[in-house]
């Protein structure tokens, strides 16, 4: 079973960084303007009222994902017409993943109810969330993320909207009163779904094939559901704007919804809430008022620059990049103090002073990935600088890129085995190969050889979450490994499709349906931004991803 | 242990009466006018914002009521200043019984909370409600009456008012999340208390004595808390206007708050919502719109007339009685079809066709009480008729009263033992003696003898709830048993005071703190209208109730 970075490590990181906001405020004067622009570009949410499509039974089935599957049971009318007491525990299926606000109506069933009634609504993205007891709660994240709400209704008839926003497909309704009397009915349920997506993109051509089309569809739904007033990481959890998710979502958006306003809004929001030392905020809470989590993340800060570059390339909106340029330049500084005379970054020190992410995978050595992401970000930022006429301000970059790249090749490429190694223990991982390819340290041939070699080597560290799979597939395409890229995408995301996914999951291990970085699989997010990336691949490279 | 009428009997009665509303609508044209008057006289609620006075620990103590007592622990500020995680389970004491709406604020404690937090608030009128697990719920009434609310707060800071109205003195606050992170604070709690009482009455003179003053104070609080937009039976449960409670509350109000507008409003409301055959609605739900429970109750229908008479006598408002006269006349008809040629009511038939209440006491034979309440109501209604010049319309009453009284004395008075008996088994009960006295069937001397005899007889059926204690004490005073009346009042209500009551309880058995008609003592109402009656006695008869 895979191991993940424990959340307690994050607590530690948080406490290390606690004083971050109190550092010298270099970018204060700019931040205010960026935040204003973010406010001006807040996208409107589009609301759609949805009805349940059927009542379902959850059936135990060890061949189904997490051993439970939803089976059509009764039409929805049978919920509304019959007394609720006789149906307590009923599950309604809205037929698709939705994010927003749940409304229910209660009515008399014969005579006047004499007492408050209490109903527990449990919202689930996947069937097992409806069948797995939440308590006693063994998870590592807040129990509050689990979507069960007990509502007391003092008077019937009543129509009540649960104030909490939920993300779900299935809702279970249970009478908490053991013996309410007289009986009553749930006379209606509905859902006000929200997203900032305005229109669906063109469907794929028939040549894509069934599985590719299914993957694309689930990816689009995942992305649409995460596209609210920011690019959320997951509408169930954590509902936050993270740079890492933003980057993948904005790539997928480019080839699907083309809602560039949302990307622009998020880029300004992150800039406007950047830390006082000018490091781009790794993640943003929108509510109650927009604010950053004080949790600086090395690789995400650099990815911010690449996200801006991709946005400008897609839209031609140079004004935004020019506005944001001081922040972009600041991110370039982050790695500099770690560059040693030999051109290698001081990984030990960086790892001590920063949160380095790259993947949810405990034991992953990140030396190679760190070297790679810096080179890759420098290259992309230099391209961006050229687009907006700022290359003079970053004229040191080309030499730096060369220095870092040469050092990486010299120190990290193991010519004997043909793979890139990382750290003292010369660890071999997908992460290292991917970042050595994306940074251009590996030649196309070296990259292809290295990536191919992994499948037959022992002790290779595999990706832990879909986020890293994105970079691996991108690396494969970079090396011309189109067939392998397609196979990996179809195997991995198609695996979720075969297990009934209509949105893609935060974590997915083909061999372990119950895997959770948080020690309790129902708290996993089953509609997670960083898993939407097939939309980008399938629609950017239709010639690769077809016929399956 | 005492036995009570099972709620399932009520269900049966309800189903028998289910078609009641569909009988011929005789009073439709009048009902509309009465309802309009009720709407015009809706009393305003007075809101007062209250703060907690201290944090308490609940300590196990087998000498305390229900084995728990609240012990002052820490000042309230310590709740607000410290992280909540370290205080989960903390209990705040508002220092008095309050009814209304609870508001709390959450704030950061160091850094930004990353997840929704869930807090369970449990509101209790007495200490043991805060320490007794509610689940698995063994009670016979709806679990929904128990005042625990789990609130999910998605974003901090937040200020939230729980929508449900609660009645309580103590509130327990528990973190439902097992490991929320980062921590947060409850930065404020407050309570918007409501009542329609405008001003407190004069305090008692010093001659009343300490215990009488304490009983009076708790009675006033009980009454004030029940006086909302109607005379409620209990602000925690069932929050309904019942004729039986209205009658006792309006009596107590006459000698304390003198808020006659509320009495008038309730009299019109009951008339406006009387059943289609003109029987006064035994009880009214105010919400979502005012409506009666279809649950006709013989003795309550007759007590309605007496409540009107007392109101007119206290206020001189003959116009209201004249308005309501058609309904008052209609109640007189209810007993008529049960009057047999010998002047005895057909108890068996009435008991089959109606709910006869008189007391929560299973096994109580109600023949004598039934005969008594009819005579008593006829006498009071005839007095009322004379006040408003309607005696010609009820000219049959004096003869009926004589006939019923003679028959009662002949058939129910057991000269050998000197007590009144009831039913085939010649049951001897407090209820029977009280109603024979109040109806005037018993002479003053017979009544005094009978009531005195009970204490030394075997197999006497004692009162089950404070409601009947009222009629017993009233009967004692009627018979000149002032000393015994005072002793009973001080013993019974003083018993609650000695056990820490600051409001009087729905049920109280000096020998059993855990007694519940609903099989679970936390669901009992601990601020119950029909227990406020000492206010009436103490303030109406100050010469009797003093020096204790």
């Amino acid at each position: 079973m895979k191991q993940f970075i424990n959340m307690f490590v994050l607590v530690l990181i948080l406490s290390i960084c606690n004083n971050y906001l109190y550092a010298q405020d270099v970018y204060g004067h700019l931040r205010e303007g960026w935040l204003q622009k973010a406010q001006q570009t807040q996208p409107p949410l589009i609301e759609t009222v949805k009805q349940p499509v059927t009542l379902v039974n959850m059936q135990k089935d060890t061949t189904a994902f997490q051993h439970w599957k939803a089976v059509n049971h009764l039409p929805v009318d049978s919920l509304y017409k019959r007394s609720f007491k006789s149906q307590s525990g009923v599950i309604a299926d809205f037929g698709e993943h939705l994010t927003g606000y749940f409304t229910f109506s209660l009515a008399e069933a014969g005579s006047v109810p004499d007492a408050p009634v209490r109903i527990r609504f449990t919202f689930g993205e996947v069937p097992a969330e409806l069948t797995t007891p939440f308590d006693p709660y063994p998870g590592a994240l807040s129990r509050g993320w689990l979507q069960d709400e007990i509502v007391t209704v003092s008077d019937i008839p009543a129509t009540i909207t649960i104030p909490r926003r939920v993300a779900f497909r299935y809702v279970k309704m249970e009478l908490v009163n053991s013996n309410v009397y007289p009986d009553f009915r749930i006379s209606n349920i509905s859902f006000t779904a929200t997203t900032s997506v305005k229109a669906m993109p063109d469907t794929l051509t028939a040549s894509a094939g069934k599985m590719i089309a299914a993957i694309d569809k689930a990816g689009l739904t995942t992305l649409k559901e995460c596209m609210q007033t920011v690019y959320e990481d997951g509408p169930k959890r954590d509902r936050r704007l993270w740079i890492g998710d933003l980057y993948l979502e904005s790539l997928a958006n480019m080839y699907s919804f083309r809602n560039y306003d949302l990307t622009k809004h998020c880029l300004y929001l992150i800039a406007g809430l950047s830390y006082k030392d000018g490091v781009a905020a790794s993640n943003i809470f929108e509510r109650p008022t927009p604010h950053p989590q004080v949790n600086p993340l090395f690789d995400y800060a650099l990815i911010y620059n690449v996200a801006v570059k991709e946005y400008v390339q897609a839209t031609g909106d140079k004004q935004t990049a020019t506005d944001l340029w001081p922040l972009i330049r600041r991110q370039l500084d982050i790695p500099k103090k770690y560059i040693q005379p030999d051109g290698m970054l001081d990984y030990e020190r960086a790892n001590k002073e920063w949160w380095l992410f790259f993947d949810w995978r405990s034991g992953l050595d990140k030396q190679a990935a760190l070297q790679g992401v810096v080179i890759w970000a420098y290259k992309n930022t230099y391209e961006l600088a050229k687009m907006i006429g700022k290359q003079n301000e970053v004229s040191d970059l080309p030499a730096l890129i060369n220095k870092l790249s040469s050092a990486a090749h010299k120190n990290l490429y193991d010519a004997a085995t043909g793979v890139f190694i990382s750290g003292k223990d010369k660890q071999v991982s997908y992460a290292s190969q991917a970042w050595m390819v994306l940074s251009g340290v590996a030649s196309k041939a070296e990259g292809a050889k290295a990536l191919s070699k992994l499948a037959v080597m022992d002790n290779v560290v595999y990706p832990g979450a879909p986020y890293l799979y994105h970079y691996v597939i991108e690396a494969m395409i970079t090396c011309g490994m189109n067939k392998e890229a397609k196979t990996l995408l179809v195997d991995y995301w198609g695996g979720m499709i075969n297990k009934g996914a209509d949105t893609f999951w935060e974590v997915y291990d083909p061999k372990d349906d119950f895997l959770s970085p948080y020690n309790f699989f129902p708290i996993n997010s089953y509609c997670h931004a960083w898993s939407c990336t097939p939309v980008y691949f399938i629609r950017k490279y239709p010639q690769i991803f077809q016929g399956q």
Side-chain angles (χ1 to χ4, degrees), chain A:
Chain A
M1 172 157 167
K2 297 185 182 183
Q3 294 297 316
F4 292 88
I5 291 178
N6 194 296
M7 288 310 288
F8 294 107
V9 176
L10 297 193
V11 176
L12 188 69
I13 290 163
L14 261 184
S15 61
I16 290 169
C17 305
N18 227 349
N19 290 318
Y20 222 85
L21 279 179
Y22 307 100
Q24 200 194 349
D25 190 356
V26 184
Y27 296 86
H29 60 296
L30 295 168
R31 212 180 285 113
E32 203 174 315
W34 292 329
L35 207 49
Q36 260 175 17
K37 284 257 174 67
Q39 280 155 358
Q40 288 159 9
T41 53
Q42 169 94 33
L45 284 180
I46 293 145
E47 293 189 350
T48 316
V49 176
K50 300 279 186 174
Q51 305 296 330
V53 296
T54 184
L55 303 182
V56 293
N57 270 338
M58 292 302 175
Q59 282 185 3
K60 189 86 186 167
D61 179 349
T62 52
T63 67
F65 178 59
Q66 296 173 340
H67 297 181
W68 288 95
K69 68 175 177 192
V71 179
N72 282 5
H73 174 46
L74 283 170
V76 176
D77 265 7
S78 70
L79 169 65
Y80 301 152
K81 284 178 182 160
R82 294 187 297 147
S83 89
F84 181 58
K85 216 163 160 179
S86 66
Q87 299 180 79
S88 179
V90 64
I91 298 174
D93 178 2
F94 277 72
E96 60 185 318
H97 192 284
L98 298 171
T99 299
Y101 300 91
F102 182 78
T103 299
F104 66 97
S105 298
L106 302 186
E108 295 177 17
S111 54
V112 185
D114 71 326
V117 301
R118 281 154 61 92
I119 304 174
R120 184 189 199 221
F121 296 91
T122 306
F123 300 89
E125 297 179 311
V126 293
E129 275 178 282
L130 288 304
T131 58
T132 307
F134 289 169
D135 301 294
Y137 174 68
L141 294 183
S142 169
R143 163 73 174 81
W145 287 118
L146 294 171
Q147 302 180 120
D148 59 328
E149 295 287 308
I150 294 178
V151 182
T152 304
V153 183
S154 293
D155 304 296
I156 289 175
T159 293
I160 290 171
T161 297
I162 295 177
R164 176 183 187 173
R165 201 193 79 179
V166 294
F168 83 120
R169 173 173 167 171
Y170 307 102
V171 56
K172 181 163 67 172
M173 294 160 273
E174 294 167 286
L175 189 63
V176 180
N177 310 36
S178 62
N179 54 357
V180 61
Y181 123 96
D183 212 339
F184 64 95
R185 293 177 298 122
I186 290 186
S187 55
N188 196 57
I189 62 175
S190 67
F191 195 81
T192 303
T194 67
T195 173
S196 56
V197 166
K198 292 167 211 152
M200 294 304 285
D202 295 341
T203 51
L204 298 182
T205 59
S207 64
K210 271 192 182 172
M211 179 52 90
I212 297 286
I215 292 172
D216 179 69
K217 188 182 168 204
L220 285 174
T221 307
T222 305
L223 180 56
K224 175 202 71 159
E225 289 290 283
C226 293
M227 287 171 70
Q228 301 289 331
T229 44
V230 296
Y231 283 113
E232 296 186 8
D233 55 345
K236 171 178 139 188
R237 210 209 82 240
D238 298 317
R239 304 177 50 175
R240 264 187 266 170
L241 169 62
W242 286 88
I243 291 172
D245 297 273
L246 155 73
Y247 171 62
L248 298 194
E249 288 175 282
S250 68
L251 288 180
N253 173 65
M254 271 174 211
Y255 293 91
S256 55
F257 304 117
R258 295 185 176 79
N259 183 0
Y260 295 114
D261 291 351
L262 182 63
T263 311
K264 182 174 176 178
H265 170 67
C266 292
L267 292 172
Y268 272 113
L269 196 58
I270 289 167
L273 298 170
S274 56
Y275 307 131
K276 289 203 174 174
D277 61 359
V279 171
S282 65
N283 73 99
I284 300 292
F285 297 88
E286 285 184 280
R287 280 165 299 270
T289 53
H291 60 281
Q293 190 187 38
V294 185
N295 192 8
L297 203 168
F298 193 107
D299 34 327
Y300 277 20
L302 291 169
I303 289 173
Y304 178 80
N305 286 8
V306 186
V308 177
K309 176 226 155 189
E310 294 288 347
Y311 166 78
V312 176
Q313 204 160 48
T315 61
D317 175 10
K318 294 181 186 174
Q319 182 55 50
T320 292
T322 308
D323 265 8
L324 297 171
W325 180 247
L327 193 78
I328 294 162
R329 274 193 67 182
R330 173 65 186 93
Q331 307 317 303
L332 297 175
D333 295 338
I334 295 172
K336 286 184 181 165
K337 69 172 178 174
Y338 302 100
I339 300 172
Q340 300 169 118
D342 68 350
M344 288 302 290
L345 287 151
D346 185 345
Y347 169 59
E348 296 298 327
R349 186 177 156 209
N351 198 27
K352 202 180 290 176
E353 296 177 356
W354 286 82
W355 180 19
L356 310 175
F357 177 61
F358 295 105
D359 191 17
W360 275 135
R361 165 61 91 180
S362 110
L364 175 66
D365 190 285
K366 297 167 181 173
Q367 184 196 21
L370 179 70
Q371 190 88 8
V373 82
V374 171
I375 297 165
W376 172 79
Y378 278 5
K379 284 182 168 175
N380 276 281
T381 308
Y382 194 70
E383 274 188 61
L384 173 62
K386 286 193 287 185
M387 285 183 217
I388 61 171
K390 299 277 191 188
Q391 64 269 40
N392 292 342
E393 298 185 22
V394 288
S395 54
D396 59 334
L397 281 185
L400 264 179
I401 291 165
N402 282 338
K403 184 177 178 184
L404 290 166
S405 299
S406 304
H409 201 279
K410 182 178 169 200
N411 292 288
L412 302 176
Y413 188 58
D414 180 12
T417 53
V419 295
F420 289 85
I421 53 169
S422 184
K424 288 181 204 153
D425 298 336
K426 304 187 176 181
Q427 187 187 74
V428 178
S429 68
Y430 274 84
S432 298
Q433 314 313 311
W435 281 109
M436 287 293 96
V437 170
L438 294 172
S439 63
V441 171
S443 70
K444 216 172 152 172
E446 285 168 347
K449 188 178 170 192
L451 283 163
S452 304
K453 199 75 190 289
L454 296 178
V456 296
M457 284 181 81
D458 289 332
N459 301 322
V460 169
V461 179
Y462 275 72
Y467 176 72
L468 181 57
Y469 276 93
H470 168 86
Y471 296 97
V472 171
I473 290 178
E474 186 81 84
M476 284 176 166
I477 294 169
T478 304
C479 299
M481 298 170 71
N482 294 352
K483 195 163 157 277
E484 291 83 353
K486 178 180 155 192
T487 301
L488 182 57
L489 185 141
V490 168
D491 279 359
Y492 190 70
W493 278 272
M496 290 190 245
I497 295 291
N498 286 332
K499 291 188 174 180
D502 39 22
T503 51
F504 289 126
W505 309 329
E506 176 187 17
V507 286
Y508 170 54
D509 180 340
K511 291 175 195 148
D512 183 2
D513 285 355
F514 301 97
L515 181 70
S516 170
Y518 322 110
N519 198 40
F520 191 51
F521 69 89
I523 203 122
N524 288 7
S525 163
Y526 292 95
C527 175
H528 215 71
W530 70 22
S531 228
C532 76
T533 191
V535 168
Y536 160 76
F537 289 119
I538 292 169
R539 288 171 177 266
K540 183 175 182 184
Y541 306 108
Q543 75 288 2
I544 300 177
F545 298 97
Q546 62 169 314
Q548 193 90 18

